[in-house]
Amino acid sequence: MNPLPSLRRYPRSSRSASPLLLDFLAPSILRHNQPRYSSTNASSHLGSNSGSASGAGSQKPKYVLNKKQREYLDRALRVNQAGELAATLIYTAQTPQVVRSHPHLRPLMKHMYDQEAGHFSTFNNLIAKHRIRPTAMYPVWEVAATFLGWSTGVMGREAAMACTEAVETEIGSHYNDQVREILSWEADAQSRGEELDDELKEMLATFRRIRDEELEHLDHAVENDAKEARPYDPLVNVIRLGCRTAIKITERV
């Protein structure tokens, strides 16, 4: 594996994501009166239907999401977008301290950061496209994620990796729940002789890919002595509880 560029520039790179916040905030503000996932505007919304809904080469009608399912997707995308921002900030705060003592981890830290930054961009685009209200907790999560990354980085490589293990355990499970939910919609569609909208199929594939990449980070953390962190159990349990709490709050606020 060839060495990758240093992450010492990443604090500024992470902040360069800030314009992306405007990318999804602007559509949500300027178009707040337009319906989301509307079956009357099928060309641009998930789970919708129209005269051409069967799509090229398909004879099946498209599955139309009900109100409860649309609300579920709103919550899922809002949580995912906020969570990926937090992940970039955690790695940004951890990396300088970790690679200072363990330079050989620079490529791994950059690899994980780059994937999280890609996830963040993906959900920024989805939030903007479907005009979903982003969480009002952004300032709180930014501070909390930066502090978590900095504090576990100060504690050492093992604690930083234990943080990754804890976060990715919760996030991987969260994405898996979303994948199972959409698969249940697909099963329902098939029972009706229908099929998921192409965009919803693409979203399912995206969730699966990102879930697998998050679980890859968990494996990297364990391989790099996450379980040697002291105190391991209290540290991991507190971080996991914090993640679950943040998810619940972000779903609603």
Side-chain angles (χ1 to χ4, degrees), residues 89-103:
L89 294 175
I90 289 171
Y91 283 125
T92 296
Q94 282 180 343
T95 296
Q97 300 169 89
V98 171
V99 302
R100 186 178 299 122
S101 301
H102 305 277

Side-chain angles (χ1 to χ4, degrees), residues 18-231:
S18 295
L20 291 174
L21 304 185
L22 299 178
D23 289 344
F24 69 80
L25 282 173
S28 69
I29 293 171
L30 297 177
R31 307 178 189 176
H32 67 281
N33 289 324
Q34 298 185 25
R36 295 189 306 272
Y37 312 132
S38 170
S39 61
T40 61
N41 190 12
S43 63
S44 61
H45 296 294
L46 293 173
S48 57
N49 206 345
S50 71
S52 60
S54 57
S58 174
Q59 300 303 316
K60 291 184 178 180
K62 297 300 182 183
Y63 185 71
V64 180
L65 300 185
N66 60 37
K67 183 175 183 293
K68 183 177 179 181
Q69 290 167 330
R70 294 194 302 269
E71 289 173 348
Y72 179 89
L73 275 183
D74 279 12
R75 293 194 301 269
L77 293 174
R78 179 162 54 249
V79 169
N80 295 352
Q81 194 271 345
E84 297 301 343
L85 170 66
T88 64
L89 294 175
I90 289 171
Y91 283 125
T92 296
Q94 282 180 343
T95 296
Q97 300 169 89
V98 171
V99 302
R100 186 178 299 122
S101 301
H102 305 277
H104 69 284
L105 290 178
R106 187 185 303 278
L108 174 61
M109 298 298 288
K110 182 181 186 303
H111 169 69
M112 294 192 293
Y113 173 90
D114 285 347
Q115 286 188 323
E116 300 293 5
H119 303 167
F120 182 45
S121 178
T122 294
F123 287 114
N124 281 343
N125 292 335
L126 287 171
I127 284 278
K129 183 175 185 178
H130 300 294
R131 298 182 287 280
I132 295 169
R133 175 185 61 80
T135 180
M137 297 296 291
Y138 252 91
V140 176
W141 298 155
E142 285 185 309
V143 172
T146 300
F147 176 76
L148 178 60
W150 175 83
S151 60
T152 53
V154 166
M155 293 171 67
R157 172 180 63 93
E158 295 84 357
M161 293 298 169
C163 174
T164 294
E165 179 190 358
V167 170
E168 301 298 16
T169 296
E170 292 300 324
I171 297 304
S173 176
H174 185 65
Y175 279 121
N176 213 38
D177 289 343
Q178 294 174 7
V179 168
R180 283 198 297 265
E181 181 68 18
I182 298 176
L183 286 175
S184 75
W185 302 349
E186 185 174 52
D188 184 40
Q190 290 173 352
S191 72
R192 302 182 183 192
E194 300 172 349
E195 65 179 358
L196 296 183
D197 180 90
D198 289 342
E199 192 167 11
L200 193 52
K201 290 179 183 177
E202 183 179 352
M203 187 177 292
L204 174 61
T206 296
F207 285 5
R208 280 173 157 158
R209 174 182 60 80
I210 292 178
R211 174 202 61 192
D212 293 346
E213 290 175 354
E214 301 291 2
L215 293 178
E216 174 196 317
H217 299 175
L218 190 159
D219 291 340
H220 287 319
V222 173
E223 290 165 1
N224 284 276
D225 301 326
K227 296 189 184 299
E228 299 302 316
R230 296 292 181 268

Side-chain angles (χ1 to χ4, degrees), residues 238-249:
V238 166
I239 294 173
R240 290 186 63 179
L241 176 61
C243 289
R244 291 195 296 270
T245 302
I247 288 170
K248 294 297 183 185
I249 294 173

